[in-house]
Amino acid sequence: MEEILQVKNLKKTFKLSRKQRKLEGGAATKKAVDDLSFTAYKGEIFGLLGPNGAGKTTTLRMLATLIKPDGGDAVIDGKSIVSDPYGVRSKIGFLTSELKLEDFFTPNYLYGYFSRLYNVPEDVAAERKKKMFESFGIDKFAEVKVANLSTGMKQKLSIVISLVNDPDFIIFDEPTNGLDVLTAKTVTDYLAELRANGKTVILSTHIFSLIEKLCDRVGVIIDGRLVALDTLANLTAEKNLEDKFFDLYKSVKEER
């Protein structure tokens, strides 16, 4: 299998506010990501599984070059997040649940804007928009302002916008968070379709069923450290994923 991502000893520490220090036992800083290393292969869905605050989002933000690591590096399709962040951005799609779409714009306008931002030829953008708008049911709402779209439709529009450049490497942070069951299924079906088309998807989640349904390999992250990394089949050979996760979680907490 061909590697498309190499994560090498990533580290990130944040300074804590006075309020946060009380929650962290008085510590002035917190290691959000602690010496994280893993690889991902072309055409697979790789899942980062962990509780809230484990370091999943921080890891994905570093991979997307939104924040700089304090140490280590990651190379995506030959581009370093440290030395060539602009090169990385040209190759990836990134979706976060915190993506905010301006209320007064329409799906048509936003798709056109981001297509031009990525220098997608007009004819290619038009063909791609038609296909994706139809797939996600956005075509009927193409001229409706974002303010008047449902939460699920906004999420589907966010996914479409994040993929305007047709990237081979896609980062999704909690892709089904807060979605109703119908919209969530639309999203998970599309993630599986991306893999079938040879794309690589890195996703973070705390939802066991999402990992079990989609992921080829899983990295379990707790307190910023990768405590397990294997294929889903190997990881769940003796116990189901939920039981395996809580065994790991208990072990990590007992060590500390």
Side-chain angles (χ1 to χ4, degrees):
M1 298 176 70
E2 183 179 354
E3 292 183 359
I4 192 172
L5 168 69
Q6 302 89 32
V7 177
K8 307 170 185 177
N9 309 111
L10 273 187
K11 301 179 180 70
K12 187 66 182 180
T13 299
F14 292 110
K15 292 181 179 179
L16 299 179
S17 66
R18 186 174 299 176
K19 183 177 181 180
Q20 289 171 324
R21 291 178 187 182
K22 292 180 181 179
L23 298 174
E24 295 294 331
T29 61
K30 179 180 180 179
K31 283 186 178 180
V33 177
D34 187 5
D35 204 32
L36 200 67
S37 298
F38 63 92
T39 59
Y41 302 105
K42 288 188 175 182
E44 78 166 346
I45 299 180
F46 182 96
L48 270 181
L49 173 66
N52 291 337
K56 304 187 304 296
T57 293
T58 299
T59 299
L60 296 192
R61 285 178 175 173
M62 285 191 285
L63 295 183
T65 73
L66 296 181
I67 57 176
K68 294 181 179 180
D70 296 329
D73 197 358
V75 177
I76 300 175
D77 200 12
K79 304 293 184 180
S80 162
I81 65 170
V82 173
S83 62
D84 191 8
Y86 292 105
V88 170
R89 291 170 199 168
S90 70
K91 289 180 171 289
I92 69 171
F94 177 63
L95 176 71
T96 171
S97 58
E98 296 179 359
L99 178 64
K100 305 300 181 185
L101 302 174
E102 293 291 347
D103 283 346
F104 47 88
F105 290 137
T106 66
N108 266 340
Y109 176 85
L110 288 169
Y111 193 92
Y113 173 82
F114 282 98
S115 292
R116 292 189 295 273
L117 194 65
Y118 277 98
N119 295 314
V120 180
E122 287 188 14
D123 57 333
V124 175
E127 181 179 351
R128 196 174 293 161
K129 183 179 77 170
K130 183 177 185 298
K131 179 181 178 182
M132 296 189 73
F133 273 33
E134 289 177 355
S135 295
F136 282 94
I138 301 173
D139 49 336
K140 299 175 183 177
F141 303 90
E143 287 298 331
V144 176
K145 289 184 178 180
V146 167
N148 298 320
L149 297 177
S150 67
T151 299
M153 190 58 65
K154 289 177 183 177
Q155 179 77 336
K156 289 189 283 189
L157 177 58
S158 297
I159 291 174
V160 168
I161 289 172
S162 71
L163 302 177
V164 292
N165 57 330
D166 193 25
D168 289 327
F169 188 89
I170 301 146
I171 302 169
F172 283 158
D173 187 16
E174 301 283 1
T176 61
N177 198 29
L179 299 182
D180 65 82
V181 292
L182 295 177
T183 304
K185 187 175 189 311
T186 300
V187 172
T188 55
D189 287 350
Y190 191 70
L191 293 176
E193 183 181 334
L194 289 172
R195 174 177 54 193
N197 290 330
K199 310 289 188 181
T200 302
V201 179
I202 307 293
L203 66 85
S204 74
T205 186
H206 60 275
I207 302 173
F208 300 113
S209 59
L210 184 63
I211 293 285
E212 291 170 328
K213 182 176 182 178
L214 288 175
C215 293
D216 302 290
R217 291 189 305 130
V218 186
V220 178
I221 184 171
I222 299 172
D223 292 341
R225 293 190 298 148
L226 202 65
V227 299
L229 174 60
D230 211 330
T231 64
L232 179 63
N234 287 341
L235 202 60
T236 57
E238 298 179 356
K239 295 185 176 182
N240 64 48
L241 184 60
E242 182 176 357
D243 289 341
K244 180 66 175 180
F245 171 81
F246 282 110
D247 283 349
L248 291 167
Y249 186 84
K250 181 179 179 182
S251 177
V252 168
K253 294 302 180 180
E254 286 177 348
E255 288 178 5
R256 300 188 176 186

